[in-house]
Amino acid sequence: MSVWDEIARYHLPVIVLHQHSGQPPACLEGLVDYAALIAKNKHTYGFRSPYQILSWLWVQPVKLDRGDGPKAEGCTPQQRSRVWPDDGLNCWEAVAHLLAVAMVHQWLIEFHVYDASVHGGRHVFPAVRPLYDVSSLPVPLVIQPAVKTGKDTRALRVAQAWENDLLGAVHFVGDKVLRVFGAGELADTLADVEGDALPDWARTAKQKQQRAAELIKRAAEESKREDARRGKEDSQPV
């Protein structure tokens, strides 16, 4: 079976490629070929949800491409393209592995792949949105932590996180992305983790209602405690 026959097996997710780094269109097409190769690997089937693969990607070391290992066709220079490496990944490999899992499980999303110039370098990153939802922009997905080097840390933060606001302990997902994957209720629950990390202006209407209800409940409990304290004071002999 050819690579394109393999890709044709996966009707979803809908894949959209955005080439903005000066590379030819064949570059990101090569990433799709590479993802289809990963999809055939037995390890790919071990990840059954977006959160499992995103969690795995986040804890892997960031290993920059030094020209070692197998290469994918289409880019200049060719991109290192390993299958389930155990010593870290760069952004190209991380995006391809995420896409491979999406292919295997036929996620009902649009999977956008961006190749962009960031502070003099290239960065490949994914963005997602609900299937055929043209009313909103794709949400950039943070899948790796910032590279820790002695170089321009701000540039590296932008490259890795695309200046996304991160949500507490689930910084690799975030509120909007949870909703894209159909986990809105989970997003509502996680809004208050890690010290109430989500600012009020960023909350959905349902989250604001929940927050208001919690504040009212806390105020009522505090009022009861205060009434009990005063009643105890009033009962004391003068």
Side-chain angles (χ1 to χ4, degrees):
M1 181 181 291
S2 71
V3 170
W4 286 106
D5 288 336
E6 180 67 26
I7 294 172
R9 292 177 53 203
Y10 306 111
H11 303 291
L12 293 169
V14 173
I15 303 169
V16 185
L17 306 178
H18 304 266
Q19 184 54 257
H20 299 297
S21 70
Q23 291 282 336
C27 182
L28 287 184
E29 291 170 2
L31 186 145
V32 178
D33 295 350
Y34 169 36
L37 178 64
I38 300 169
K40 294 195 299 183
N41 189 280
K42 64 179 181 180
H43 294 294
T44 310
Y45 291 83
F47 295 90
R48 299 185 179 276
S49 74
Y51 317 112
Q52 288 179 325
I53 180 58
L54 289 167
S55 298
W56 183 84
L57 289 171
W58 187 265
V59 299
Q60 301 310 304
V62 176
K63 183 177 182 180
L64 301 180
D65 189 347
R66 304 299 186 191
D68 54 319
K71 309 290 193 301
E73 301 291 335
C75 301
T76 305
Q78 292 181 334
Q79 300 291 297
R80 183 187 65 202
S81 301
R82 300 166 298 161
V83 176
W84 297 112
D86 57 8
D87 60 346
L89 311 90
N90 69 340
C91 60
W92 170 275
E93 292 173 315
V95 170
H97 280 77
L98 177 61
L99 177 55
V101 174
M103 286 176 165
V104 164
H105 295 293
Q106 304 278 283
W107 289 350
L108 297 173
I109 60 172
E110 288 182 9
F111 192 106
H112 295 251
V113 182
Y114 289 84
D115 188 354
S117 298
V118 180
H119 292 274
R122 283 179 62 208
H123 181 51
V124 176
F125 67 95
V128 293
R129 71 176 175 185
L131 198 60
Y132 305 124
D133 177 11
V134 296
S135 64
S136 61
L137 293 174
V139 180
L141 197 56
V142 181
I143 60 176
Q144 290 182 292
V147 181
K148 296 179 180 179
T149 71
K151 298 181 180 179
D152 181 354
T153 55
R154 182 180 183 280
L156 291 168
R157 283 200 303 271
V158 171
Q160 291 299 105
W162 210 249
E163 295 186 320
N164 277 10
D165 289 330
L166 308 183
L167 174 59
V170 288
H171 40 260
F172 49 82
V173 179
D175 181 71
K176 287 184 179 180
V177 172
L178 284 169
R179 296 184 187 284
V180 171
F181 287 118
E185 294 298 325
L186 179 59
D188 289 332
T189 301
L190 291 175
D192 286 316
V193 302
E194 295 297 314
D196 197 22
L198 199 62
D200 189 65
W201 59 263
R203 295 174 184 272
T204 64
K206 184 171 182 179
Q207 287 172 338
K208 289 177 180 178
Q209 291 172 1
Q210 289 179 340
R211 179 63 171 159
E214 289 169 4
L215 291 174
I216 291 171
K217 181 179 178 181
R218 292 176 192 174
E221 291 173 348
E222 182 62 29
S223 178
K224 288 181 180 179
R225 285 194 292 268
E226 182 64 16
D227 288 345
R229 184 184 64 79
R230 288 178 179 175
K232 187 176 181 180
E233 289 178 351
D234 291 343
S235 66
Q236 295 295 325
V238 179

